Coordinates of all heavy atoms in Angstrom, one line a residue:
M1 N 0.8 -1.2 0.0 CA 0.0 0.0 0.0 C 0.9 1.2 0.0 O 2.0 1.2 0.5 CB -0.9 0.0 1.2 CG -1.9 -1.1 1.3 SD -3.2 -1.0 0.1 CE -4.5 -0.3 1.0
A2 N 0.3 2.3 -0.5 CA 1.0 3.6 -0.5 C 0.0 4.7 -0.3 O -1.2 4.5 -0.8 CB 1.7 3.8 -1.9
T3 N 0.3 5.7 0.4 CA -0.6 6.8 0.6 C -0.4 7.8 -0.5 O 0.8 8.2 -0.7 CB -0.4 7.4 2.0 OG1 -0.6 6.4 3.0 CG2 -1.4 8.5 2.2
V4 N -1.4 8.2 -1.1 CA -1.3 9.2 -2.1 C -2.4 10.3 -1.8 O -3.4 10.0 -1.2 CB -1.5 8.7 -3.6 CG1 -0.5 7.7 -4.0 CG2 -2.9 8.1 -3.8
T5 N -2.0 11.6 -2.1 CA -2.9 12.7 -1.8 C -3.3 13.4 -3.1 O -2.4 13.8 -3.9 CB -2.2 13.6 -0.8 OG1 -1.9 12.9 0.4 CG2 -3.1 14.8 -0.4
F6 N -4.5 13.7 -3.2 CA -5.1 14.5 -4.3 C -5.5 15.8 -3.7 O -6.3 15.8 -2.7 CB -6.3 13.8 -4.9 CG -6.0 12.4 -5.5 CD1 -6.0 11.3 -4.8 CD2 -5.7 12.3 -6.9 CE1 -5.8 10.0 -5.3 CE2 -5.5 11.1 -7.5 CZ -5.5 9.9 -6.7
I7 N -5.1 16.9 -4.3 CA -5.5 18.2 -3.8 C -6.4 18.9 -4.8 O -6.0 19.1 -6.0 CB -4.3 19.1 -3.5 CG1 -3.4 18.4 -2.5 CG2 -4.8 20.5 -2.9 CD1 -2.1 19.2 -2.2
E8 N -7.7 19.1 -4.4 CA -8.6 19.8 -5.4 C -8.2 21.2 -5.6 O -7.4 21.8 -4.9 CB -10.0 19.8 -4.8 CG -10.7 18.4 -4.7 CD -12.1 18.5 -4.2 OE1 -12.9 19.1 -4.9 OE2 -12.4 18.0 -3.1
H9 N -8.8 21.8 -6.7 CA -8.4 23.2 -7.1 C -8.8 24.1 -5.9 O -8.1 25.1 -5.8 CB -9.2 23.5 -8.3 CG -8.8 24.8 -8.9 ND1 -7.7 25.0 -9.6 CD2 -9.4 26.1 -8.9 CE1 -7.5 26.2 -10.0 NE2 -8.6 26.9 -9.6
N10 N -9.8 23.8 -5.1 CA -10.1 24.6 -4.0 C -9.3 24.4 -2.7 O -9.6 25.0 -1.7 CB -11.6 24.5 -3.7 CG -12.0 23.1 -3.3 OD1 -11.2 22.3 -3.1 ND2 -13.3 22.8 -3.3
G11 N -8.3 23.5 -2.8 CA -7.5 23.3 -1.7 C -7.8 22.1 -0.8 O -7.1 21.7 0.1
I12 N -9.0 21.5 -1.0 CA -9.4 20.3 -0.2 C -8.5 19.1 -0.6 O -8.4 18.8 -1.8 CB -10.9 20.0 -0.5 CG1 -11.7 21.2 0.1 CG2 -11.3 18.7 0.2 CD1 -13.2 21.0 -0.2
E13 N -8.0 18.5 0.4 CA -7.1 17.4 0.2 C -7.8 16.1 0.5 O -8.6 15.9 1.4 CB -5.8 17.5 1.2 CG -5.0 18.7 0.9 CD -3.7 18.7 1.7 OE1 -3.3 17.7 2.3 OE2 -3.0 19.8 1.7
H14 N -7.4 15.1 -0.3 CA -7.9 13.7 -0.1 C -6.7 12.8 -0.1 O -6.1 12.5 -1.1 CB -8.8 13.3 -1.3 CG -10.0 14.2 -1.5 ND1 -11.2 14.0 -1.0 CD2 -10.1 15.4 -2.2 CE1 -12.0 15.0 -1.4 NE2 -11.4 15.8 -2.1
S15 N -6.4 12.3 1.1 CA -5.3 11.3 1.3 C -5.9 9.9 1.3 O -6.8 9.7 2.2 CB -4.5 11.6 2.5 OG -3.7 12.8 2.4
V16 N -5.5 9.1 0.5 CA -6.1 7.7 0.4 C -5.0 6.7 0.4 O -3.9 6.9 0.0 CB -7.0 7.6 -0.9 CG1 -8.1 8.7 -0.9 CG2 -6.2 7.7 -2.1
E17 N -5.4 5.5 0.8 CA -4.5 4.3 0.8 C -4.7 3.7 -0.6 O -5.7 3.3 -1.0 CB -4.9 3.3 1.8 CG -4.6 3.7 3.2 CD -3.1 4.1 3.4 OE1 -2.3 3.2 3.0 OE2 -2.8 5.1 4.0
A18 N -3.6 3.7 -1.3 CA -3.6 3.2 -2.7 C -3.1 1.8 -2.8 O -2.1 1.4 -2.2 CB -2.7 4.1 -3.6
E19 N -3.8 1.0 -3.6 CA -3.4 -0.4 -3.8 C -2.3 -0.4 -4.8 O -2.5 0.1 -6.0 CB -4.6 -1.2 -4.3 CG -4.3 -2.7 -4.3 CD -5.5 -3.5 -4.7 OE1 -6.7 -3.1 -4.3 OE2 -5.4 -4.5 -5.4
V20 N -1.1 -0.9 -4.5 CA 0.0 -0.9 -5.4 C -0.3 -1.7 -6.7 O -1.0 -2.8 -6.6 CB 1.3 -1.4 -4.7 CG1 2.4 -1.8 -5.7 CG2 1.8 -0.5 -3.6
G21 N 0.0 -1.2 -7.8 CA -0.2 -1.9 -9.1 C -1.4 -1.3 -9.8 O -1.6 -1.6 -11.0
K22 N -2.2 -0.5 -9.1 CA -3.4 0.2 -9.8 C -2.9 1.5 -10.3 O -1.9 2.1 -9.8 CB -4.5 0.4 -8.8 CG -5.3 -0.9 -8.5 CD -6.6 -0.5 -7.7 CE -7.5 -1.7 -7.6 NZ -8.7 -1.4 -6.9
S23 N -3.7 2.0 -11.3 CA -3.4 3.4 -11.8 C -3.9 4.4 -10.8 O -4.8 4.2 -10.0 CB -4.0 3.6 -13.1 OG -5.4 3.8 -13.0
L24 N -3.2 5.6 -10.9 CA -3.6 6.7 -10.0 C -5.1 7.1 -10.3 O -5.8 7.5 -9.4 CB -2.7 7.9 -10.3 CG -2.7 9.0 -9.3 CD1 -2.3 8.5 -7.9 CD2 -1.6 10.1 -9.7
M25 N -5.5 7.0 -11.6 CA -6.9 7.3 -11.9 C -7.8 6.3 -11.2 O -8.8 6.7 -10.6 CB -7.1 7.1 -13.5 CG -8.5 7.3 -14.0 SD -9.4 5.8 -13.9 CE -8.9 4.9 -15.4
Q26 N -7.5 5.0 -11.2 CA -8.4 4.0 -10.6 C -8.5 4.2 -9.1 O -9.5 4.1 -8.5 CB -7.9 2.6 -10.9 CG -9.0 1.5 -10.6 CD -10.3 1.7 -11.4 OE1 -10.3 1.9 -12.6 NE2 -11.4 1.8 -10.6
I27 N -7.4 4.6 -8.5 CA -7.3 4.8 -7.1 C -8.2 6.0 -6.7 O -8.9 6.0 -5.8 CB -5.8 5.1 -6.7 CG1 -5.1 3.8 -6.8 CG2 -5.8 5.7 -5.3 CD1 -3.6 3.9 -6.8
A28 N -8.2 7.1 -7.6 CA -9.1 8.2 -7.3 C -10.5 7.8 -7.4 O -11.3 8.1 -6.6 CB -8.8 9.3 -8.3
L29 N -10.9 7.0 -8.4 CA -12.3 6.6 -8.6 C -12.7 5.7 -7.4 O -13.8 5.8 -6.9 CB -12.5 5.8 -9.9 CG -12.3 6.7 -11.2 CD1 -12.6 5.8 -12.4 CD2 -13.1 7.9 -11.2
D30 N -11.8 4.7 -7.1 CA -12.1 3.8 -6.0 C -12.4 4.5 -4.7 O -13.2 4.0 -3.9 CB -11.0 2.8 -5.8 CG -10.8 1.8 -6.9 OD1 -11.7 1.7 -7.8 OD2 -9.8 1.1 -6.9
N31 N -11.8 5.7 -4.5 CA -11.9 6.4 -3.3 C -12.8 7.6 -3.4 O -12.8 8.5 -2.5 CB -10.5 6.8 -2.7 CG -9.7 5.6 -2.3 OD1 -9.9 5.1 -1.1 ND2 -8.9 5.1 -3.1
L32 N -13.6 7.7 -4.5 CA -14.6 8.7 -4.7 C -13.9 10.1 -4.6 O -14.5 11.1 -4.1 CB -15.7 8.6 -3.7 CG -16.4 7.3 -3.7 CD1 -17.5 7.3 -2.6 CD2 -17.0 6.9 -5.0
V33 N -12.7 10.2 -5.1 CA -12.1 11.6 -5.1 C -12.7 12.3 -6.3 O -12.7 11.9 -7.4 CB -10.5 11.4 -5.4 CG1 -9.9 12.8 -5.6 CG2 -9.9 10.7 -4.2
P34 N -13.3 13.5 -6.0 CA -13.9 14.3 -7.1 C -12.9 14.9 -8.0 O -11.7 15.1 -7.7 CB -14.7 15.4 -6.3 CG -13.9 15.5 -5.1 CD -13.3 14.2 -4.7
G35 N -13.3 15.1 -9.3 CA -12.5 15.9 -10.2 C -11.7 15.0 -11.2 O -11.0 15.6 -12.0
I36 N -11.9 13.7 -11.2 CA -11.3 12.8 -12.2 C -12.5 12.2 -12.9 O -13.3 11.4 -12.3 CB -10.5 11.7 -11.6 CG1 -9.3 12.3 -10.8 CG2 -10.0 10.7 -12.6 CD1 -8.1 12.7 -11.6
D37 N -12.7 12.5 -14.2 CA -13.8 12.0 -14.9 C -13.5 10.6 -15.6 O -14.3 9.7 -15.5 CB -14.2 13.0 -16.1 CG -14.8 14.3 -15.5 OD1 -15.1 14.3 -14.3 OD2 -14.8 15.3 -16.2
A38 N -12.3 10.5 -16.2 CA -11.9 9.2 -16.7 C -12.9 8.6 -17.7 O -13.3 7.5 -17.6 CB -11.6 8.2 -15.6
D39 N -13.3 9.5 -18.7 CA -14.3 9.1 -19.6 C -14.0 7.8 -20.4 O -14.9 7.1 -20.8 CB -14.6 10.2 -20.6 CG -15.3 11.4 -19.9 OD1 -15.9 11.2 -18.8 OD2 -15.3 12.5 -20.4
C40 N -12.7 7.6 -20.7 CA -12.3 6.5 -21.6 C -12.0 5.2 -20.8 O -11.7 4.2 -21.4 CB -11.2 6.9 -22.5 SG -9.6 6.9 -21.7
G41 N -12.1 5.3 -19.5 CA -11.8 4.1 -18.7 C -10.4 3.8 -18.5 O -10.0 2.6 -18.1
G42 N -9.5 4.7 -18.9 CA -8.0 4.4 -18.7 C -7.3 4.0 -20.0 O -6.2 3.4 -19.9
E43 N -7.9 4.3 -21.1 CA -7.3 3.9 -22.4 C -6.4 5.0 -23.0 O -6.0 4.9 -24.1 CB -8.4 3.6 -23.4 CG -9.2 2.4 -23.0 CD -8.4 1.1 -22.8 OE1 -7.5 0.9 -23.6 OE2 -8.7 0.3 -21.9
C44 N -6.1 6.0 -22.2 CA -5.2 7.1 -22.7 C -5.8 7.8 -24.0 O -5.1 8.1 -24.9 CB -3.8 6.6 -23.0 SG -2.6 8.0 -23.2
S45 N -7.2 7.9 -24.0 CA -7.8 8.5 -25.2 C -8.8 9.6 -24.9 O -9.6 9.9 -25.7 CB -8.4 7.4 -26.0 OG -9.4 6.7 -25.3
C46 N -8.8 10.1 -23.6 CA -9.8 11.1 -23.3 C -9.2 12.4 -22.7 O -9.7 13.5 -22.8 CB -11.0 10.6 -22.5 SG -10.5 10.3 -20.8
A47 N -8.2 12.1 -21.9 CA -7.5 13.2 -21.1 C -8.3 13.8 -20.0 O -8.0 14.9 -19.6 CB -6.9 14.3 -22.1
T48 N -9.4 13.1 -19.6 CA -10.2 13.7 -18.5 C -9.8 13.1 -17.2 O -10.5 13.1 -16.2 CB -11.7 13.4 -18.7 OG1 -11.9 12.0 -18.8 CG2 -12.2 14.1 -20.0
C49 N -8.5 12.6 -17.1 CA -8.0 12.2 -15.8 C -6.7 13.1 -15.6 O -5.8 12.6 -14.9 CB -7.6 10.7 -15.9 SG -6.4 10.3 -17.1
H50 N -6.8 14.3 -16.1 CA -5.6 15.2 -16.0 C -5.3 15.5 -14.5 O -6.2 15.9 -13.7 CB -6.0 16.5 -16.8 CG -4.9 17.6 -16.7 ND1 -5.3 18.9 -16.7 CD2 -3.6 17.5 -16.6 CE1 -4.2 19.6 -16.6 NE2 -3.1 18.8 -16.6
I51 N -4.0 15.4 -14.2 CA -3.6 15.9 -12.8 C -2.2 16.6 -13.0 O -1.6 16.4 -14.1 CB -3.4 14.7 -11.8 CG1 -2.6 13.5 -12.4 CG2 -4.8 14.1 -11.5 CD1 -1.2 13.5 -12.0
M52 N -1.8 17.3 -12.0 CA -0.5 17.9 -12.0 C 0.3 17.3 -10.8 O -0.1 17.4 -9.7 CB -0.6 19.4 -11.9 CG -1.0 20.1 -13.1 SD -2.8 20.1 -13.4 CE -3.4 21.2 -12.2
V53 N 1.5 16.8 -11.2 CA 2.3 16.1 -10.2 C 3.2 17.2 -9.5 O 3.8 18.0 -10.1 CB 3.3 15.1 -10.9 CG1 4.2 14.5 -9.9 CG2 2.5 14.0 -11.6
K54 N 3.2 17.1 -8.1 CA 4.0 18.1 -7.4 C 5.5 17.9 -7.8 O 6.0 16.8 -8.0 CB 3.9 17.8 -5.9 CG 2.5 18.2 -5.3 CD 2.4 19.7 -5.2 CE 1.1 20.0 -4.4 NZ 0.8 21.5 -4.5
A55 N 6.2 19.0 -7.8 CA 7.5 19.1 -8.4 C 8.4 18.1 -7.8 O 9.2 17.4 -8.5 CB 8.1 20.5 -8.2
E56 N 8.3 17.9 -6.5 CA 9.3 16.9 -5.8 C 9.0 15.5 -6.2 O 9.8 14.6 -5.9 CB 9.2 17.1 -4.3 CG 7.9 16.9 -3.7 CD 7.0 18.1 -3.6 OE1 7.1 19.0 -4.4 OE2 6.1 18.2 -2.6
W57 N 7.9 15.2 -6.9 CA 7.6 13.8 -7.2 C 7.8 13.5 -8.7 O 7.6 12.4 -9.2 CB 6.1 13.5 -6.8 CG 6.0 13.2 -5.4 CD1 5.6 14.1 -4.4 CD2 6.3 12.0 -4.7 NE1 5.7 13.5 -3.2 CE2 6.1 12.2 -3.4 CE3 6.7 10.8 -5.2 CZ2 6.3 11.2 -2.4 CZ3 7.0 9.8 -4.2 CH2 6.7 10.0 -2.9
L58 N 8.2 14.5 -9.5 CA 8.2 14.4 -10.9 C 9.2 13.3 -11.3 O 9.0 12.5 -12.2 CB 8.6 15.7 -11.6 CG 7.5 16.7 -11.7 CD1 8.0 18.1 -12.2 CD2 6.4 16.2 -12.6
E59 N 10.4 13.2 -10.6 CA 11.4 12.2 -11.0 C 10.9 10.8 -10.8 O 11.0 9.9 -11.6 CB 12.7 12.5 -10.2 CG 13.8 11.7 -10.8 CD 15.1 12.1 -10.0 OE1 15.3 13.2 -9.6 OE2 16.0 11.2 -9.9
K60 N 10.3 10.6 -9.6 CA 9.8 9.2 -9.3 C 8.6 8.8 -10.2 O 8.4 7.6 -10.5 CB 9.4 9.1 -7.8 CG 10.6 8.9 -6.9 CD 10.2 8.6 -5.5 CE 11.5 8.4 -4.7 NZ 11.2 8.3 -3.2
V61 N 7.8 9.8 -10.6 CA 6.6 9.5 -11.4 C 7.1 9.2 -12.9 O 6.5 8.4 -13.6 CB 5.6 10.6 -11.3 CG1 4.5 10.4 -12.4 CG2 5.0 10.6 -9.9
G62 N 8.1 9.9 -13.3 CA 8.6 9.7 -14.7 C 7.9 10.5 -15.7 O 7.1 11.4 -15.4
S63 N 8.3 10.3 -16.9 CA 7.8 11.1 -18.0 C 6.6 10.4 -18.8 O 6.6 9.2 -18.8 CB 8.9 11.4 -19.1 OG 10.0 12.0 -18.4
P64 N 5.8 11.2 -19.4 CA 4.7 10.6 -20.2 C 5.2 9.9 -21.5 O 6.2 10.3 -22.0 CB 3.8 11.8 -20.5 CG 4.7 13.0 -20.5 CD 5.7 12.7 -19.4
S65 N 4.5 8.9 -21.9 CA 4.8 8.2 -23.2 C 4.4 9.2 -24.3 O 3.8 10.2 -24.1 CB 4.0 7.0 -23.3 OG 2.6 7.3 -23.4
D66 N 4.8 8.9 -25.5 CA 4.4 9.7 -26.7 C 2.9 9.8 -26.8 O 2.4 10.9 -27.1 CB 5.0 9.2 -28.0 CG 6.6 9.4 -28.0 OD1 7.1 10.1 -27.2 OD2 7.2 8.7 -28.9
A67 N 2.2 8.7 -26.6 CA 0.7 8.7 -26.7 C 0.1 9.7 -25.7 O -0.8 10.4 -26.0 CB 0.2 7.3 -26.6
E68 N 0.6 9.5 -24.5 CA 0.1 10.4 -23.4 C 0.4 11.9 -23.7 O -0.4 12.7 -23.5 CB 0.7 9.9 -22.0 CG 0.1 10.8 -20.9 CD 0.8 10.4 -19.5 OE1 1.5 9.4 -19.5 OE2 0.6 11.2 -18.6
D69 N 1.6 12.1 -24.1 CA 2.1 13.4 -24.4 C 1.2 14.1 -25.5 O 0.8 15.2 -25.4 CB 3.5 13.4 -24.9 CG 4.2 14.8 -24.9 OD1 4.1 15.5 -23.9 OD2 4.7 15.1 -26.0
S70 N 0.8 13.3 -26.5 CA -0.1 13.8 -27.5 C -1.5 14.1 -27.0 O -2.1 15.1 -27.4 CB -0.3 12.7 -28.6 OG 1.0 12.5 -29.2
M71 N -2.0 13.3 -26.1 CA -3.3 13.6 -25.5 C -3.2 14.8 -24.6 O -4.1 15.7 -24.6 CB -3.8 12.4 -24.6 CG -4.2 11.2 -25.4 SD -5.5 11.6 -26.6 CE -6.8 12.2 -25.5
L72 N -2.2 15.0 -23.9 CA -2.0 16.1 -23.0 C -2.0 17.4 -23.8 O -2.4 18.5 -23.4 CB -0.7 16.0 -22.2 CG -0.8 15.0 -21.0 CD1 0.6 14.7 -20.4 CD2 -1.7 15.7 -19.9
D73 N -1.4 17.3 -25.0 CA -1.3 18.5 -25.9 C -2.7 19.0 -26.3 O -2.8 20.2 -26.6 CB -0.5 18.2 -27.1 CG 1.0 18.5 -27.0 OD1 1.3 19.2 -26.0 OD2 1.7 18.0 -27.8
L74 N -3.7 18.2 -26.2 CA -5.1 18.6 -26.5 C -5.7 19.5 -25.4 O -6.7 20.1 -25.6 CB -6.0 17.4 -26.8 CG -5.5 16.5 -28.0 CD1 -6.4 15.3 -28.1 CD2 -5.5 17.3 -29.3
N75 N -5.1 19.4 -24.2 CA -5.6 20.1 -23.1 C -5.1 21.6 -23.0 O -3.9 21.8 -22.9 CB -5.3 19.4 -21.8 CG -6.0 19.9 -20.6 OD1 -6.2 21.1 -20.5 ND2 -6.4 19.0 -19.7
P76 N -6.0 22.5 -23.1 CA -5.6 23.9 -23.1 C -5.0 24.4 -21.7 O -4.3 25.4 -21.7 CB -6.8 24.7 -23.4 CG -8.0 23.8 -23.0 CD -7.5 22.4 -23.2
E77 N -5.2 23.6 -20.7 CA -4.6 23.9 -19.4 C -3.4 23.1 -19.0 O -3.1 23.0 -17.9 CB -5.7 23.8 -18.3 CG -6.9 24.8 -18.5 CD -7.7 24.9 -17.3 OE1 -7.7 24.0 -16.4 OE2 -8.4 25.9 -17.2
R78 N -2.8 22.5 -20.0 CA -1.6 21.7 -19.8 C -0.5 22.5 -19.1 O -0.3 23.6 -19.5 CB -1.1 21.1 -21.0 CG 0.1 20.2 -20.8 CD 0.7 19.5 -22.0 NE 1.7 18.6 -21.6 CZ 2.3 17.8 -22.5 NH1 2.0 17.8 -23.7 NH2 3.3 17.0 -22.0
E79 N 0.1 21.9 -18.0 CA 1.2 22.5 -17.4 C 2.4 21.6 -17.6 O 2.3 20.5 -18.1 CB 0.9 22.6 -15.8 CG -0.4 23.3 -15.5 CD -0.3 24.8 -15.4 OE1 0.9 25.3 -15.5 OE2 -1.3 25.4 -15.3
A80 N 3.6 22.2 -17.2 CA 4.8 21.4 -17.4 C 4.8 20.1 -16.6 O 5.4 19.1 -17.0 CB 6.0 22.2 -16.9
N81 N 4.0 20.1 -15.5 CA 4.0 18.9 -14.6 C 2.7 18.1 -14.8 O 2.3 17.3 -14.0 CB 4.1 19.3 -13.2 CG 3.1 20.3 -12.7 OD1 2.4 20.9 -13.5 ND2 2.9 20.4 -11.4
S82 N 2.0 18.3 -15.9 CA 0.7 17.6 -16.2 C 1.0 16.2 -16.6 O 1.9 15.9 -17.3 CB 0.0 18.3 -17.4 OG -0.6 19.5 -17.0
R83 N 0.1 15.3 -16.1 CA 0.1 13.9 -16.5 C -1.4 13.4 -16.6 O -2.3 14.1 -16.1 CB 0.8 13.1 -15.4 CG 2.3 13.3 -15.4 CD 3.1 12.8 -16.6 NE 2.7 11.4 -17.0 CZ 3.4 10.4 -16.6 NH1 4.4 10.5 -15.8 NH2 3.0 9.1 -17.0
L84 N -1.5 12.3 -17.2 CA -2.8 11.6 -17.2 C -2.7 10.5 -16.1 O -1.9 9.6 -16.1 CB -3.1 11.0 -18.5 CG -3.3 12.0 -19.7 CD1 -3.5 11.3 -21.0 CD2 -4.4 13.0 -19.4
A85 N -3.7 10.6 -15.2 CA -3.6 9.7 -14.0 C -3.7 8.3 -14.3 O -3.2 7.4 -13.6 CB -4.7 10.1 -13.0
C86 N -4.4 8.0 -15.5 CA -4.6 6.5 -15.8 C -3.3 5.9 -16.3 O -3.1 4.7 -16.5 CB -5.7 6.4 -16.9 SG -5.2 7.0 -18.5
Q87 N -2.3 6.8 -16.6 CA -1.0 6.3 -17.2 C 0.1 6.2 -16.1 O 1.3 5.9 -16.4 CB -0.5 7.2 -18.3 CG -1.5 7.2 -19.5 CD -1.8 5.8 -20.0 OE1 -0.9 5.1 -20.5 NE2 -3.1 5.4 -20.0
I88 N -0.3 6.4 -14.9 CA 0.7 6.3 -13.7 C 0.3 5.1 -12.9 O -0.8 5.1 -12.2 CB 0.7 7.6 -12.9 CG1 1.0 8.8 -13.7 CG2 1.6 7.4 -11.7 CD1 0.9 10.2 -13.0
E89 N 1.1 4.1 -12.9 CA 0.9 2.9 -12.1 C 1.6 3.2 -10.7 O 2.8 3.4 -10.7 CB 1.5 1.7 -12.7 CG 1.2 0.4 -11.9 CD 1.7 -0.8 -12.6 OE1 1.5 -1.0 -13.8 OE2 2.3 -1.6 -11.9
V90 N 0.8 3.1 -9.7 CA 1.3 3.4 -8.4 C 2.1 2.2 -7.8 O 1.6 1.1 -7.8 CB 0.2 3.8 -7.4 CG1 0.7 4.0 -6.0 CG2 -0.5 5.1 -7.9
G91 N 3.3 2.5 -7.3 CA 4.1 1.5 -6.7 C 4.5 1.9 -5.3 O 4.2 3.0 -4.9
E92 N 5.2 1.0 -4.6 CA 5.7 1.4 -3.2 C 6.5 2.7 -3.2 O 6.4 3.4 -2.2 CB 6.5 0.2 -2.6 CG 5.8 -1.1 -2.6 CD 4.9 -1.2 -1.4 OE1 4.8 -0.2 -0.6 OE2 4.2 -2.2 -1.2
I93 N 7.2 2.9 -4.3 CA 8.1 4.1 -4.3 C 7.3 5.4 -4.3 O 7.8 6.5 -4.1 CB 9.0 4.1 -5.5 CG1 8.3 4.2 -6.8 CG2 10.0 2.9 -5.4 CD1 9.2 4.6 -8.0
H94 N 6.0 5.3 -4.5 CA 5.1 6.5 -4.6 C 4.4 6.8 -3.3 O 3.5 7.6 -3.3 CB 4.1 6.3 -5.7 CG 4.7 6.1 -7.1 ND1 4.5 5.1 -7.9 CD2 5.6 6.9 -7.8 CE1 5.2 5.2 -9.0 NE2 5.8 6.3 -9.0
D95 N 4.8 6.1 -2.2 CA 4.2 6.4 -0.9 C 4.5 7.8 -0.6 O 5.6 8.3 -0.5 CB 4.8 5.5 0.1 CG 4.1 5.6 1.5 OD1 2.9 5.8 1.5 OD2 4.8 5.5 2.5
G96 N 3.4 8.6 -0.4 CA 3.5 10.0 -0.1 C 3.3 10.9 -1.3 O 3.2 12.2 -1.2
L97 N 3.1 10.3 -2.5 CA 2.8 11.1 -3.7 C 1.7 12.1 -3.6 O 0.6 11.7 -3.0 CB 2.5 10.1 -4.9 CG 2.1 10.7 -6.2 CD1 3.2 11.5 -6.8 CD2 1.6 9.6 -7.2
T98 N 1.9 13.3 -4.0 CA 0.9 14.3 -4.0 C 0.7 14.9 -5.3 O 1.7 15.2 -6.0 CB 1.3 15.4 -2.9 OG1 1.5 14.8 -1.7 CG2 0.2 16.4 -2.8
V99 N -0.6 15.0 -5.7 CA -0.9 15.6 -7.1 C -2.0 16.6 -6.9 O -2.8 16.6 -6.0 CB -1.3 14.5 -8.1 CG1 -0.2 13.5 -8.3 CG2 -2.6 13.9 -7.7
D100 N -2.0 17.6 -7.8 CA -3.0 18.6 -7.8 C -4.1 18.3 -8.9 O -3.7 17.7 -10.0 CB -2.4 20.0 -8.1 CG -1.6 20.6 -7.0 OD1 -2.0 20.5 -5.9 OD2 -0.5 21.0 -7.3
L101 N -5.3 18.6 -8.6 CA -6.4 18.4 -9.6 C -6.7 19.7 -10.2 O -6.7 20.7 -9.6 CB -7.6 17.8 -8.9 CG -7.5 16.4 -8.2 CD1 -8.6 16.2 -7.3 CD2 -7.4 15.4 -9.3
P102 N -7.0 19.7 -11.5 CA -7.4 20.9 -12.2 C -8.8 21.4 -11.8 O -9.5 20.6 -11.3 CB -7.3 20.6 -13.7 CG -7.6 19.1 -13.7 CD -7.1 18.5 -12.5
E103 N -9.1 22.6 -12.1 CA -10.4 23.1 -11.8 C -11.5 22.4 -12.6 O -12.6 22.0 -12.2 CB -10.5 24.6 -12.0 CG -11.9 25.2 -11.6 CD -11.9 26.7 -11.6 OE1 -10.9 27.3 -12.1 OE2 -12.8 27.3 -11.0
F104 N -11.1 22.1 -13.9 CA -12.0 21.5 -14.8 C -11.3 20.4 -15.6 O -10.1 20.5 -15.9 CB -12.7 22.4 -15.8 CG -13.4 23.6 -15.2 CD1 -12.8 24.9 -15.3 CD2 -14.6 23.4 -14.5 CE1 -13.5 26.0 -14.7 CE2 -15.2 24.5 -14.0 CZ -14.7 25.8 -14.0
Q105 N -12.0 19.4 -16.0 CA -11.5 18.4 -17.0 C -12.1 18.7 -18.3 O -13.2 19.2 -18.4 CB -11.9 17.0 -16.6 CG -11.3 16.5 -15.3 CD -9.8 16.2 -15.3 OE1 -9.2 16.2 -16.4 NE2 -9.2 15.9 -14.2
F106 N -11.3 18.6 -19.4 CA -11.7 18.9 -20.7 C -12.0 17.7 -21.6 O -11.3 16.7 -21.4 CB -10.7 19.8 -21.5 CG -10.7 21.2 -20.9 CD1 -9.8 21.5 -19.9 CD2 -11.5 22.2 -21.3 CE1 -9.8 22.8 -19.3 CE2 -11.5 23.5 -20.8 CZ -10.6 23.8 -19.8
Ligands
FES201 S1 -9.0 8.0 -18.3 FE1 -9.0 8.6 -20.4 S2 -7.0 9.3 -20.7 FE2 -7.0 8.7 -18.6

C-alpha cells in the first residue's frame, strides 16, 4: 500500500490508501475523489484524468509516453507537470505522492 494525496483546485485534500499496481486514476475513482472524470476508462484517449504532479515527485513518477504526451497537448490547461492519472501505475516508491487536480477536466 502507498498513501497518495489528491488536492482539489479549492485546496481540499484527499489522502487515500492506494493499492500498489493500480493506476492513479483508478485509485481516485475507487476512493470517490472528485475531479477525475476518466471518460475512456483508462485507455489514454480522453485526457479527462488530468492531474499535475508536485515538483518533488516528478522524477519518481517519470515522463509521459508519446501517446500520453499527444493527449496532453489537446488540453488547453496543460502545465509542465501535467500527467494523465490513468497512465501512472502506483508502486511502493510512490508512498507520499501528492498531485493537484485541475479546476475542470476537458
Ligand atoms: S482515463 Fe481517459 S485518458 Fe485517462
Side-chain angles (χ1 to χ4, degrees):
M1 298 289 264
T3 301
V4 298
T5 300
F6 299 86
I7 303 176
E8 291 185 65
H9 190 74
N10 60 12
I12 294 176
E13 297 188 12
H14 303 267
S15 290
V16 303
E17 290 302 311
E19 192 177 325
V20 167
K22 283 190 171 182
S23 74
L24 196 56
M25 175 276 277
Q26 193 60 53
I27 289 161
L29 294 186
D30 289 350
N31 289 279
L32 305 179
V33 174
I36 299 278
D37 295 343
D39 291 340
C40 77
E43 299 298 322
C44 195
S45 59
C46 73
T48 62
C49 62
H50 177 214
I51 52 98
M52 284 81 74
V53 177
K54 289 288 190 191
E56 61 269 29
W57 282 97
L58 284 171
E59 192 175 330
K60 280 188 179 170
V61 169
S63 303
S65 66
D66 288 347
E68 181 184 348
D69 193 51
S70 297
M71 286 306 300
L72 283 165
D73 270 344
L74 300 176
N75 190 321
E77 294 195 341
R78 180 177 188 175
E79 307 276 351
N81 58 342
S82 287
R83 291 294 307 271
L84 296 179
C86 70
Q87 300 303 301
I88 299 171
E89 183 180 314
V90 174
E92 299 281 358
I93 63 163
H94 299 123
D95 186 35
L97 172 64
T98 304
V99 302
D100 291 313
L101 296 166
E103 186 171 10
F104 304 108
Q105 295 287 355
F106 289 92

